[in-house]
Amino acid sequence: MAQIKKYPLLSQLRSEASSYVQYFRKGKTVRAGRGLSFWFDPTGASISEIPMDDRELNFMIKGQSSDYQDLAVQGVVSWRVVDAQRLGERVDFSIDLKSGRSAGKPQDQIRSVLNGLVREFADTHLKKYGVRELLEKGLAPLQAAINAGFTEDPTLTSMGLEIVSVRVAALTPSSELSRALQAPTFESLQQKADEATFSRRALAVEKERAIAENELNNQVELAARRKELIAREDANARSEAEALAAASRITVEADAEAKIVTAEAEARRIRSVEQAAADMETARMSAYGSVPPAVLYALAAQEFAGKLERIDSLTVSPDMLAGIMNQIKSLVGSTEAQG
């Protein structure tokens, strides 16, 4: 934007190097060039300022494919001025002599022209193909078609403009169309996902079956080992029982033999004692056989007296006393005779 300083009679203008300034006075060109700085009389003066740097236009247009499907095109067009005088003749770039700002909206006018051309070139390309083909080809063919359209169209050349570059950023179908186009791919992917899920489940089932078989085999093996263990324990218990039975039998037999031996010894002892008692009795009887009756009576009386604890009364008759005295005399007589 040009800078203007006002003084009492004159004003001073100073422009940037990227701006082309035209100074008109009374309908005639007084000065023209880039980056000018000059004094001028505001009365009767007209000044225009045309930017010479590269400018960009962001566009977003809508079109239809050959099968009548709506598509949105987004991109950027870079342009610049190559003939300022020609553009100044076609577009009003006059500035306010007090502020230096543009009096109108020339940029909007240029953008409108560029946007209309882009819409025309893009729509021509879109109507040649179906929506699926356009989307499959991508952005490059559309961008090339717009570039070719600018090259062939004389509108910008007649205005003194030049296209620097065209960049198409997106070619987008409507939301409904996008979902419809995505449906086959989505279904295919979903089918693949279902197949993957089925395969994964089948693999999981196979692994579970293998695990179950492994567990069953382990249980069978454990059952066989347990059966073998039980058989061994039974054999050991049977062997232990047989050993205990044999030991008990041996103990019983030993006890029986010991009892028999003890009984025989006891019988022999009893026989020996009884025999000794019988022999003693025989010897005693033999001894008593040679003893006179009176002595036997005396011994019997003595033994009888030894067994009595107490004698309360004793009755001696004359006959008993006479008999005893006779026996005593006989005994004394026999004793003297033996002497």
Side-chain angles (χ1 to χ4, degrees), residues 21-59:
V21 178
Q22 290 178 319
Y23 173 32
F24 298 92
R25 186 170 181 82
K26 295 181 180 181
K28 295 181 180 181
T29 303
V30 178
R31 288 177 179 270
R34 298 180 62 169
L36 296 180
S37 179
F38 54 88
W39 294 87
F40 65 94
D41 182 4
T43 59
S46 176
I47 301 175
S48 64
E49 183 183 21
I50 302 173
M52 302 297 292
D53 56 341
D54 291 355
R55 299 297 176 98
E56 289 186 348
L57 167 67
N58 294 317
F59 64 87

PDB file of all heavy atoms in Angstrom, residues 21-59:
ATOM      1  N   VAL A  21       2.881   1.978  -9.940  1.00  0.00           N
ATOM      2  CA  VAL A  21       2.101   3.191  -9.710  1.00  0.00           C
ATOM      3  C   VAL A  21       1.932   3.948 -11.025  1.00  0.00           C
ATOM      4  O   VAL A  21       2.903   4.120 -11.793  1.00  0.00           O
ATOM      5  CB  VAL A  21       2.784   4.084  -8.657  1.00  0.00           C
ATOM      6  CG1 VAL A  21       1.989   5.375  -8.473  1.00  0.00           C
ATOM      7  CG2 VAL A  21       2.907   3.335  -7.336  1.00  0.00           C
ATOM      8  N   GLN A  22       0.706   4.388 -11.250  1.00  0.00           N
ATOM      9  CA  GLN A  22       0.392   5.237 -12.409  1.00  0.00           C
ATOM     10  C   GLN A  22      -0.194   6.566 -11.889  1.00  0.00           C
ATOM     11  O   GLN A  22      -1.179   6.544 -11.144  1.00  0.00           O
ATOM     12  CB  GLN A  22      -0.610   4.554 -13.342  1.00  0.00           C
ATOM     13  CG  GLN A  22      -0.062   3.355 -14.089  1.00  0.00           C
ATOM     14  CD  GLN A  22      -1.108   2.681 -14.956  1.00  0.00           C
ATOM     15  OE1 GLN A  22      -2.273   2.521 -14.538  1.00  0.00           O
ATOM     16  NE2 GLN A  22      -0.730   2.315 -16.173  1.00  0.00           N
ATOM     17  N   TYR A  23       0.440   7.681 -12.310  1.00  0.00           N
ATOM     18  CA  TYR A  23       0.003   9.010 -11.879  1.00  0.00           C
ATOM     19  C   TYR A  23      -0.593   9.722 -13.091  1.00  0.00           C
ATOM     20  O   TYR A  23       0.098   9.970 -14.076  1.00  0.00           O
ATOM     21  CB  TYR A  23       1.188   9.786 -11.314  1.00  0.00           C
ATOM     22  CG  TYR A  23       0.910  11.216 -10.978  1.00  0.00           C
ATOM     23  CD1 TYR A  23      -0.347  11.647 -10.538  1.00  0.00           C
ATOM     24  CD2 TYR A  23       1.915  12.178 -11.117  1.00  0.00           C
ATOM     25  CE1 TYR A  23      -0.577  12.979 -10.243  1.00  0.00           C
ATOM     26  CE2 TYR A  23       1.687  13.512 -10.812  1.00  0.00           C
ATOM     27  CZ  TYR A  23       0.436  13.902 -10.371  1.00  0.00           C
ATOM     28  OH  TYR A  23       0.187  15.238 -10.089  1.00  0.00           O
ATOM     29  N   PHE A  24      -1.905   9.980 -12.979  1.00  0.00           N
ATOM     30  CA  PHE A  24      -2.619  10.658 -14.071  1.00  0.00           C
ATOM     31  C   PHE A  24      -3.006  12.068 -13.608  1.00  0.00           C
ATOM     32  O   PHE A  24      -3.409  12.267 -12.448  1.00  0.00           O
ATOM     33  CB  PHE A  24      -3.892   9.904 -14.459  1.00  0.00           C
ATOM     34  CG  PHE A  24      -3.649   8.522 -14.981  1.00  0.00           C
ATOM     35  CD1 PHE A  24      -3.658   7.441 -14.122  1.00  0.00           C
ATOM     36  CD2 PHE A  24      -3.420   8.319 -16.324  1.00  0.00           C
ATOM     37  CE1 PHE A  24      -3.446   6.164 -14.603  1.00  0.00           C
ATOM     38  CE2 PHE A  24      -3.213   7.047 -16.811  1.00  0.00           C
ATOM     39  CZ  PHE A  24      -3.215   5.954 -15.952  1.00  0.00           C
ATOM     40  N   ARG A  25      -2.855  12.986 -14.562  1.00  0.00           N
ATOM     41  CA  ARG A  25      -3.303  14.348 -14.275  1.00  0.00           C
ATOM     42  C   ARG A  25      -4.013  14.876 -15.510  1.00  0.00           C
ATOM     43  O   ARG A  25      -3.447  14.878 -16.612  1.00  0.00           O
ATOM     44  CB  ARG A  25      -2.120  15.248 -13.918  1.00  0.00           C
ATOM     45  CG  ARG A  25      -2.578  16.653 -13.467  1.00  0.00           C
ATOM     46  CD  ARG A  25      -1.396  17.438 -12.898  1.00  0.00           C
ATOM     47  NE  ARG A  25      -1.835  18.751 -12.466  1.00  0.00           N
ATOM     48  CZ  ARG A  25      -2.417  19.023 -11.301  1.00  0.00           C
ATOM     49  NH1 ARG A  25      -2.637  18.027 -10.448  1.00  0.00           N
ATOM     50  NH2 ARG A  25      -2.782  20.255 -10.989  1.00  0.00           N
ATOM     51  N   LYS A  26      -5.229  15.264 -15.288  1.00  0.00           N
ATOM     52  CA  LYS A  26      -6.071  15.776 -16.383  1.00  0.00           C
ATOM     53  C   LYS A  26      -6.164  14.769 -17.524  1.00  0.00           C
ATOM     54  O   LYS A  26      -6.089  15.104 -18.698  1.00  0.00           O
ATOM     55  CB  LYS A  26      -5.555  17.109 -16.904  1.00  0.00           C
ATOM     56  CG  LYS A  26      -5.642  18.224 -15.874  1.00  0.00           C
ATOM     57  CD  LYS A  26      -5.147  19.537 -16.417  1.00  0.00           C
ATOM     58  CE  LYS A  26      -5.230  20.652 -15.391  1.00  0.00           C
ATOM     59  NZ  LYS A  26      -4.761  21.958 -15.937  1.00  0.00           N
ATOM     60  N   GLY A  27      -6.272  13.439 -17.164  1.00  0.00           N
ATOM     61  CA  GLY A  27      -6.464  12.388 -18.147  1.00  0.00           C
ATOM     62  C   GLY A  27      -5.211  11.936 -18.841  1.00  0.00           C
ATOM     63  O   GLY A  27      -5.283  11.103 -19.753  1.00  0.00           O
ATOM     64  N   LYS A  28      -4.062  12.455 -18.465  1.00  0.00           N
ATOM     65  CA  LYS A  28      -2.817  12.060 -19.111  1.00  0.00           C
ATOM     66  C   LYS A  28      -1.879  11.424 -18.081  1.00  0.00           C
ATOM     67  O   LYS A  28      -1.873  11.811 -16.918  1.00  0.00           O
ATOM     68  CB  LYS A  28      -2.136  13.264 -19.750  1.00  0.00           C
ATOM     69  CG  LYS A  28      -2.924  13.887 -20.904  1.00  0.00           C
ATOM     70  CD  LYS A  28      -2.171  15.053 -21.511  1.00  0.00           C
ATOM     71  CE  LYS A  28      -2.954  15.686 -22.656  1.00  0.00           C
ATOM     72  NZ  LYS A  28      -2.220  16.807 -23.282  1.00  0.00           N
ATOM     73  N   THR A  29      -1.098  10.490 -18.576  1.00  0.00           N
ATOM     74  CA  THR A  29      -0.154   9.818 -17.697  1.00  0.00           C
ATOM     75  C   THR A  29       1.041  10.726 -17.451  1.00  0.00           C
ATOM     76  O   THR A  29       1.747  11.122 -18.390  1.00  0.00           O
ATOM     77  CB  THR A  29       0.321   8.489 -18.316  1.00  0.00           C
ATOM     78  OG1 THR A  29      -0.827   7.667 -18.573  1.00  0.00           O
ATOM     79  CG2 THR A  29       1.263   7.779 -17.393  1.00  0.00           C
ATOM     80  N   VAL A  30       1.280  11.054 -16.180  1.00  0.00           N
ATOM     81  CA  VAL A  30       2.411  11.895 -15.803  1.00  0.00           C
ATOM     82  C   VAL A  30       3.597  11.023 -15.392  1.00  0.00           C
ATOM     83  O   VAL A  30       4.728  11.259 -15.833  1.00  0.00           O
ATOM     84  CB  VAL A  30       2.020  12.853 -14.672  1.00  0.00           C
ATOM     85  CG1 VAL A  30       3.207  13.703 -14.235  1.00  0.00           C
ATOM     86  CG2 VAL A  30       0.848  13.729 -15.091  1.00  0.00           C
ATOM     87  N   ARG A  31       3.333  10.060 -14.554  1.00  0.00           N
ATOM     88  CA  ARG A  31       4.387   9.135 -14.114  1.00  0.00           C
ATOM     89  C   ARG A  31       3.815   7.710 -14.103  1.00  0.00           C
ATOM     90  O   ARG A  31       2.630   7.507 -13.824  1.00  0.00           O
ATOM     91  CB  ARG A  31       4.877   9.485 -12.706  1.00  0.00           C
ATOM     92  CG  ARG A  31       5.710  10.746 -12.620  1.00  0.00           C
ATOM     93  CD  ARG A  31       6.074  11.032 -11.160  1.00  0.00           C
ATOM     94  NE  ARG A  31       6.888  12.223 -11.050  1.00  0.00           N
ATOM     95  CZ  ARG A  31       8.224  12.254 -11.099  1.00  0.00           C
ATOM     96  NH1 ARG A  31       8.880  11.134 -11.291  1.00  0.00           N
ATOM     97  NH2 ARG A  31       8.879  13.397 -10.970  1.00  0.00           N
ATOM     98  N   ALA A  32       4.679   6.730 -14.329  1.00  0.00           N
ATOM     99  CA  ALA A  32       4.288   5.316 -14.267  1.00  0.00           C
ATOM    100  C   ALA A  32       5.541   4.491 -14.010  1.00  0.00           C
ATOM    101  O   ALA A  32       6.566   4.708 -14.661  1.00  0.00           O
ATOM    102  CB  ALA A  32       3.604   4.879 -15.540  1.00  0.00           C
ATOM    103  N   GLY A  33       5.451   3.562 -13.072  1.00  0.00           N
ATOM    104  CA  GLY A  33       6.599   2.720 -12.770  1.00  0.00           C
ATOM    105  C   GLY A  33       6.467   2.041 -11.411  1.00  0.00           C
ATOM    106  O   GLY A  33       5.519   2.272 -10.649  1.00  0.00           O
ATOM    107  N   ARG A  34       7.432   1.210 -11.090  1.00  0.00           N
ATOM    108  CA  ARG A  34       7.417   0.455  -9.839  1.00  0.00           C
ATOM    109  C   ARG A  34       8.248   1.190  -8.787  1.00  0.00           C
ATOM    110  O   ARG A  34       9.333   1.712  -9.063  1.00  0.00           O
ATOM    111  CB  ARG A  34       7.984  -0.951 -10.033  1.00  0.00           C
ATOM    112  CG  ARG A  34       7.182  -1.781 -11.014  1.00  0.00           C
ATOM    113  CD  ARG A  34       7.756  -3.161 -11.206  1.00  0.00           C
ATOM    114  NE  ARG A  34       7.751  -3.941  -9.956  1.00  0.00           N
ATOM    115  CZ  ARG A  34       8.012  -5.248  -9.900  1.00  0.00           C
ATOM    116  NH1 ARG A  34       8.308  -5.901 -11.022  1.00  0.00           N
ATOM    117  NH2 ARG A  34       7.987  -5.872  -8.762  1.00  0.00           N
ATOM    118  N   GLY A  35       7.741   1.215  -7.565  1.00  0.00           N
ATOM    119  CA  GLY A  35       8.457   1.788  -6.449  1.00  0.00           C
ATOM    120  C   GLY A  35       8.716   3.269  -6.584  1.00  0.00           C
ATOM    121  O   GLY A  35       9.786   3.753  -6.179  1.00  0.00           O
ATOM    122  N   LEU A  36       7.779   4.040  -7.147  1.00  0.00           N
ATOM    123  CA  LEU A  36       7.962   5.472  -7.355  1.00  0.00           C
ATOM    124  C   LEU A  36       7.758   6.244  -6.053  1.00  0.00           C
ATOM    125  O   LEU A  36       7.014   5.824  -5.162  1.00  0.00           O
ATOM    126  CB  LEU A  36       6.989   5.994  -8.413  1.00  0.00           C
ATOM    127  CG  LEU A  36       7.152   5.435  -9.843  1.00  0.00           C
ATOM    128  CD1 LEU A  36       6.113   6.070 -10.752  1.00  0.00           C
ATOM    129  CD2 LEU A  36       8.562   5.662 -10.349  1.00  0.00           C
ATOM    130  N   SER A  37       8.405   7.396  -6.001  1.00  0.00           N
ATOM    131  CA  SER A  37       8.223   8.345  -4.915  1.00  0.00           C
ATOM    132  C   SER A  37       8.250   9.739  -5.524  1.00  0.00           C
ATOM    133  O   SER A  37       9.257  10.122  -6.144  1.00  0.00           O
ATOM    134  CB  SER A  37       9.318   8.171  -3.847  1.00  0.00           C
ATOM    135  OG  SER A  37       9.132   9.117  -2.811  1.00  0.00           O
ATOM    136  N   PHE A  38       7.160  10.516  -5.332  1.00  0.00           N
ATOM    137  CA  PHE A  38       7.098  11.812  -5.991  1.00  0.00           C
ATOM    138  C   PHE A  38       6.129  12.731  -5.243  1.00  0.00           C
ATOM    139  O   PHE A  38       5.313  12.276  -4.435  1.00  0.00           O
ATOM    140  CB  PHE A  38       6.672  11.672  -7.455  1.00  0.00           C
ATOM    141  CG  PHE A  38       5.387  10.920  -7.636  1.00  0.00           C
ATOM    142  CD1 PHE A  38       4.171  11.597  -7.597  1.00  0.00           C
ATOM    143  CD2 PHE A  38       5.382   9.541  -7.856  1.00  0.00           C
ATOM    144  CE1 PHE A  38       2.992  10.918  -7.772  1.00  0.00           C
ATOM    145  CE2 PHE A  38       4.205   8.866  -8.028  1.00  0.00           C
ATOM    146  CZ  PHE A  38       2.993   9.544  -7.985  1.00  0.00           C
ATOM    147  N   TRP A  39       6.236  14.021  -5.572  1.00  0.00           N
ATOM    148  CA  TRP A  39       5.321  15.044  -5.065  1.00  0.00           C
ATOM    149  C   TRP A  39       4.224  15.256  -6.102  1.00  0.00           C
ATOM    150  O   TRP A  39       4.465  15.154  -7.301  1.00  0.00           O
ATOM    151  CB  TRP A  39       6.052  16.353  -4.815  1.00  0.00           C
ATOM    152  CG  TRP A  39       7.077  16.261  -3.707  1.00  0.00           C
ATOM    153  CD1 TRP A  39       8.356  15.875  -3.807  1.00  0.00           C
ATOM    154  CD2 TRP A  39       6.860  16.603  -2.360  1.00  0.00           C
ATOM    155  NE1 TRP A  39       9.007  15.922  -2.609  1.00  0.00           N
ATOM    156  CE2 TRP A  39       8.082  16.390  -1.661  1.00  0.00           C
ATOM    157  CE3 TRP A  39       5.764  17.091  -1.618  1.00  0.00           C
ATOM    158  CZ2 TRP A  39       8.239  16.628  -0.305  1.00  0.00           C
ATOM    159  CZ3 TRP A  39       5.943  17.341  -0.278  1.00  0.00           C
ATOM    160  CH2 TRP A  39       7.152  17.081   0.384  1.00  0.00           C
ATOM    161  N   PHE A  40       3.030  15.534  -5.613  1.00  0.00           N
ATOM    162  CA  PHE A  40       1.939  15.758  -6.561  1.00  0.00           C
ATOM    163  C   PHE A  40       0.937  16.729  -5.941  1.00  0.00           C
ATOM    164  O   PHE A  40       0.866  16.883  -4.703  1.00  0.00           O
ATOM    165  CB  PHE A  40       1.263  14.446  -6.950  1.00  0.00           C
ATOM    166  CG  PHE A  40       0.559  13.774  -5.801  1.00  0.00           C
ATOM    167  CD1 PHE A  40      -0.811  13.995  -5.589  1.00  0.00           C
ATOM    168  CD2 PHE A  40       1.242  12.939  -4.938  1.00  0.00           C
ATOM    169  CE1 PHE A  40      -1.454  13.387  -4.541  1.00  0.00           C
ATOM    170  CE2 PHE A  40       0.586  12.327  -3.899  1.00  0.00           C
ATOM    171  CZ  PHE A  40      -0.760  12.540  -3.683  1.00  0.00           C
ATOM    172  N   ASP A  41       0.187  17.329  -6.832  1.00  0.00           N
ATOM    173  CA  ASP A  41      -0.867  18.247  -6.427  1.00  0.00           C
ATOM    174  C   ASP A  41      -2.169  17.461  -6.346  1.00  0.00           C
ATOM    175  O   ASP A  41      -2.618  16.890  -7.350  1.00  0.00           O
ATOM    176  CB  ASP A  41      -1.005  19.384  -7.442  1.00  0.00           C
ATOM    177  CG  ASP A  41      -2.059  20.400  -7.026  1.00  0.00           C
ATOM    178  OD1 ASP A  41      -2.622  20.258  -5.905  1.00  0.00           O
ATOM    179  OD2 ASP A  41      -2.321  21.296  -7.814  1.00  0.00           O
ATOM    180  N   PRO A  42      -2.773  17.309  -5.189  1.00  0.00           N
ATOM    181  CA  PRO A  42      -3.962  16.484  -5.053  1.00  0.00           C
ATOM    182  C   PRO A  42      -5.120  16.943  -5.924  1.00  0.00           C
ATOM    183  O   PRO A  42      -5.953  16.117  -6.323  1.00  0.00           O
ATOM    184  CB  PRO A  42      -4.312  16.611  -3.562  1.00  0.00           C
ATOM    185  CG  PRO A  42      -3.066  17.040  -2.908  1.00  0.00           C
ATOM    186  CD  PRO A  42      -2.340  17.881  -3.898  1.00  0.00           C
ATOM    187  N   THR A  43      -5.157  18.225  -6.207  1.00  0.00           N
ATOM    188  CA  THR A  43      -6.281  18.714  -7.026  1.00  0.00           C
ATOM    189  C   THR A  43      -6.064  18.310  -8.469  1.00  0.00           C
ATOM    190  O   THR A  43      -5.028  18.577  -9.074  1.00  0.00           O
ATOM    191  CB  THR A  43      -6.375  20.239  -6.913  1.00  0.00           C
ATOM    192  OG1 THR A  43      -5.170  20.823  -7.358  1.00  0.00           O
ATOM    193  CG2 THR A  43      -6.635  20.667  -5.461  1.00  0.00           C
ATOM    194  N   GLY A  44      -7.029  17.585  -9.020  1.00  0.00           N
ATOM    195  CA  GLY A  44      -6.954  17.167 -10.412  1.00  0.00           C
ATOM    196  C   GLY A  44      -6.044  15.988 -10.643  1.00  0.00           C
ATOM    197  O   GLY A  44      -5.721  15.689 -11.802  1.00  0.00           O
ATOM    198  N   ALA A  45      -5.572  15.276  -9.615  1.00  0.00           N
ATOM    199  CA  ALA A  45      -4.675  14.126  -9.785  1.00  0.00           C
ATOM    200  C   ALA A  45      -5.443  12.834  -9.596  1.00  0.00           C
ATOM    201  O   ALA A  45      -6.444  12.749  -8.873  1.00  0.00           O
ATOM    202  CB  ALA A  45      -3.526  14.207  -8.777  1.00  0.00           C
ATOM    203  N   SER A  46      -5.004  11.782 -10.279  1.00  0.00           N
ATOM    204  CA  SER A  46      -5.564  10.433 -10.128  1.00  0.00           C
ATOM    205  C   SER A  46      -4.400   9.438 -10.133  1.00  0.00           C
ATOM    206  O   SER A  46      -3.566   9.463 -11.040  1.00  0.00           O
ATOM    207  CB  SER A  46      -6.530  10.115 -11.267  1.00  0.00           C
ATOM    208  OG  SER A  46      -6.989   8.797 -11.164  1.00  0.00           O
ATOM    209  N   ILE A  47      -4.336   8.607  -9.114  1.00  0.00           N
ATOM    210  CA  ILE A  47      -3.218   7.656  -8.954  1.00  0.00           C
ATOM    211  C   ILE A  47      -3.791   6.255  -8.789  1.00  0.00           C
ATOM    212  O   ILE A  47      -4.753   6.037  -8.036  1.00  0.00           O
ATOM    213  CB  ILE A  47      -2.348   8.024  -7.750  1.00  0.00           C
ATOM    214  CG1 ILE A  47      -1.772   9.437  -7.922  1.00  0.00           C
ATOM    215  CG2 ILE A  47      -1.225   7.010  -7.557  1.00  0.00           C
ATOM    216  CD1 ILE A  47      -0.994   9.929  -6.723  1.00  0.00           C
ATOM    217  N   SER A  48      -3.182   5.299  -9.470  1.00  0.00           N
ATOM    218  CA  SER A  48      -3.547   3.875  -9.320  1.00  0.00           C
ATOM    219  C   SER A  48      -2.305   3.091  -8.871  1.00  0.00           C
ATOM    220  O   SER A  48      -1.188   3.408  -9.275  1.00  0.00           O
ATOM    221  CB  SER A  48      -4.098   3.322 -10.625  1.00  0.00           C
ATOM    222  OG  SER A  48      -3.111   3.341 -11.630  1.00  0.00           O
ATOM    223  N   GLU A  49      -2.531   2.078  -8.069  1.00  0.00           N
ATOM    224  CA  GLU A  49      -1.431   1.232  -7.548  1.00  0.00           C
ATOM    225  C   GLU A  49      -1.773  -0.221  -7.825  1.00  0.00           C
ATOM    226  O   GLU A  49      -2.766  -0.746  -7.312  1.00  0.00           O
ATOM    227  CB  GLU A  49      -1.231   1.457  -6.050  1.00  0.00           C
ATOM    228  CG  GLU A  49      -0.059   0.664  -5.474  1.00  0.00           C
ATOM    229  CD  GLU A  49       0.075   0.842  -3.980  1.00  0.00           C
ATOM    230  OE1 GLU A  49      -0.934   1.226  -3.334  1.00  0.00           O
ATOM    231  OE2 GLU A  49       1.157   0.589  -3.437  1.00  0.00           O
ATOM    232  N   ILE A  50      -0.952  -0.874  -8.615  1.00  0.00           N
ATOM    233  CA  ILE A  50      -1.196  -2.261  -9.025  1.00  0.00           C
ATOM    234  C   ILE A  50      -0.126  -3.152  -8.393  1.00  0.00           C
ATOM    235  O   ILE A  50       1.070  -2.931  -8.606  1.00  0.00           O
ATOM    236  CB  ILE A  50      -1.155  -2.396 -10.554  1.00  0.00           C
ATOM    237  CG1 ILE A  50      -2.199  -1.454 -11.196  1.00  0.00           C
ATOM    238  CG2 ILE A  50      -1.389  -3.830 -10.972  1.00  0.00           C
ATOM    239  CD1 ILE A  50      -2.121  -1.398 -12.700  1.00  0.00           C
ATOM    240  N   PRO A  51      -0.512  -4.183  -7.592  1.00  0.00           N
ATOM    241  CA  PRO A  51       0.482  -5.073  -6.993  1.00  0.00           C
ATOM    242  C   PRO A  51       1.121  -5.961  -8.052  1.00  0.00           C
ATOM    243  O   PRO A  51       0.416  -6.555  -8.887  1.00  0.00           O
ATOM    244  CB  PRO A  51      -0.324  -5.880  -5.985  1.00  0.00           C
ATOM    245  CG  PRO A  51      -1.716  -5.872  -6.517  1.00  0.00           C
ATOM    246  CD  PRO A  51      -1.890  -4.548  -7.201  1.00  0.00           C
ATOM    247  N   MET A  52       2.430  -6.098  -7.990  1.00  0.00           N
ATOM    248  CA  MET A  52       3.158  -6.906  -8.956  1.00  0.00           C
ATOM    249  C   MET A  52       3.672  -8.232  -8.369  1.00  0.00           C
ATOM    250  O   MET A  52       4.279  -9.027  -9.080  1.00  0.00           O
ATOM    251  CB  MET A  52       4.338  -6.097  -9.505  1.00  0.00           C
ATOM    252  CG  MET A  52       3.945  -4.779 -10.164  1.00  0.00           C
ATOM    253  SD  MET A  52       2.909  -5.022 -11.617  1.00  0.00           S
ATOM    254  CE  MET A  52       4.055  -5.778 -12.744  1.00  0.00           C
ATOM    255  N   ASP A  53       3.437  -8.440  -7.104  1.00  0.00           N
ATOM    256  CA  ASP A  53       3.908  -9.694  -6.474  1.00  0.00           C
ATOM    257  C   ASP A  53       2.911 -10.828  -6.746  1.00  0.00           C
ATOM    258  O   ASP A  53       1.794 -10.595  -7.209  1.00  0.00           O
ATOM    259  CB  ASP A  53       4.108  -9.497  -4.971  1.00  0.00           C
ATOM    260  CG  ASP A  53       2.832  -9.002  -4.305  1.00  0.00           C
ATOM    261  OD1 ASP A  53       1.966  -8.479  -5.027  1.00  0.00           O
ATOM    262  OD2 ASP A  53       2.709  -9.138  -3.073  1.00  0.00           O
ATOM    263  N   ASP A  54       3.356 -12.047  -6.477  1.00  0.00           N
ATOM    264  CA  ASP A  54       2.489 -13.220  -6.682  1.00  0.00           C
ATOM    265  C   ASP A  54       1.382 -13.234  -5.643  1.00  0.00           C
ATOM    266  O   ASP A  54       1.619 -13.010  -4.439  1.00  0.00           O
ATOM    267  CB  ASP A  54       3.299 -14.512  -6.589  1.00  0.00           C
ATOM    268  CG  ASP A  54       4.257 -14.670  -7.766  1.00  0.00           C
ATOM    269  OD1 ASP A  54       4.210 -13.819  -8.676  1.00  0.00           O
ATOM    270  OD2 ASP A  54       5.062 -15.630  -7.756  1.00  0.00           O
ATOM    271  N   ARG A  55       0.205 -13.529  -6.075  1.00  0.00           N
ATOM    272  CA  ARG A  55      -0.960 -13.617  -5.209  1.00  0.00           C
ATOM    273  C   ARG A  55      -1.587 -15.010  -5.351  1.00  0.00           C
ATOM    274  O   ARG A  55      -1.418 -15.694  -6.363  1.00  0.00           O
ATOM    275  CB  ARG A  55      -1.984 -12.535  -5.562  1.00  0.00           C
ATOM    276  CG  ARG A  55      -1.478 -11.102  -5.418  1.00  0.00           C
ATOM    277  CD  ARG A  55      -1.118 -10.789  -3.965  1.00  0.00           C
ATOM    278  NE  ARG A  55      -0.554  -9.462  -3.791  1.00  0.00           N
ATOM    279  CZ  ARG A  55      -1.247  -8.408  -3.397  1.00  0.00           C
ATOM    280  NH1 ARG A  55      -2.552  -8.507  -3.175  1.00  0.00           N
ATOM    281  NH2 ARG A  55      -0.654  -7.236  -3.227  1.00  0.00           N
ATOM    282  N   GLU A  56      -2.339 -15.407  -4.316  1.00  0.00           N
ATOM    283  CA  GLU A  56      -2.976 -16.731  -4.323  1.00  0.00           C
ATOM    284  C   GLU A  56      -4.478 -16.591  -4.172  1.00  0.00           C
ATOM    285  O   GLU A  56      -4.967 -15.716  -3.453  1.00  0.00           O
ATOM    286  CB  GLU A  56      -2.425 -17.608  -3.193  1.00  0.00           C
ATOM    287  CG  GLU A  56      -0.990 -18.074  -3.425  1.00  0.00           C
ATOM    288  CD  GLU A  56      -0.529 -19.063  -2.361  1.00  0.00           C
ATOM    289  OE1 GLU A  56      -1.238 -19.196  -1.329  1.00  0.00           O
ATOM    290  OE2 GLU A  56       0.516 -19.695  -2.563  1.00  0.00           O
ATOM    291  N   LEU A  57      -5.180 -17.497  -4.852  1.00  0.00           N
ATOM    292  CA  LEU A  57      -6.629 -17.578  -4.760  1.00  0.00           C
ATOM    293  C   LEU A  57      -7.001 -18.989  -4.296  1.00  0.00           C
ATOM    294  O   LEU A  57      -6.729 -19.976  -4.989  1.00  0.00           O
ATOM    295  CB  LEU A  57      -7.271 -17.291  -6.118  1.00  0.00           C
ATOM    296  CG  LEU A  57      -8.766 -17.643  -6.225  1.00  0.00           C
ATOM    297  CD1 LEU A  57      -9.599 -16.725  -5.324  1.00  0.00           C
ATOM    298  CD2 LEU A  57      -9.242 -17.557  -7.670  1.00  0.00           C
ATOM    299  N   ASN A  58      -7.599 -19.072  -3.121  1.00  0.00           N
ATOM    300  CA  ASN A  58      -8.110 -20.357  -2.630  1.00  0.00           C
ATOM    301  C   ASN A  58      -9.511 -20.564  -3.191  1.00  0.00           C
ATOM    302  O   ASN A  58     -10.388 -19.688  -3.040  1.00  0.00           O
ATOM    303  CB  ASN A  58      -8.162 -20.370  -1.103  1.00  0.00           C
ATOM    304  CG  ASN A  58      -6.782 -20.296  -0.481  1.00  0.00           C
ATOM    305  OD1 ASN A  58      -5.853 -20.955  -0.928  1.00  0.00           O
ATOM    306  ND2 ASN A  58      -6.639 -19.466   0.547  1.00  0.00           N
ATOM    307  N   PHE A  59      -9.707 -21.665  -3.849  1.00  0.00           N
ATOM    308  CA  PHE A  59     -11.019 -21.897  -4.459  1.00  0.00           C
ATOM    309  C   PHE A  59     -11.623 -23.197  -3.945  1.00  0.00           C
ATOM    310  O   PHE A  59     -10.908 -24.140  -3.555  1.00  0.00           O
ATOM    311  CB  PHE A  59     -10.903 -21.946  -5.990  1.00  0.00           C
ATOM    312  CG  PHE A  59     -10.080 -23.084  -6.515  1.00  0.00           C
ATOM    313  CD1 PHE A  59     -10.641 -24.339  -6.759  1.00  0.00           C
ATOM    314  CD2 PHE A  59      -8.720 -22.906  -6.794  1.00  0.00           C
ATOM    315  CE1 PHE A  59      -9.894 -25.376  -7.247  1.00  0.00           C
ATOM    316  CE2 PHE A  59      -7.968 -23.942  -7.282  1.00  0.00           C
ATOM    317  CZ  PHE A  59      -8.543 -25.183  -7.514  1.00  0.00           C
TER     318      PHE A  59
END
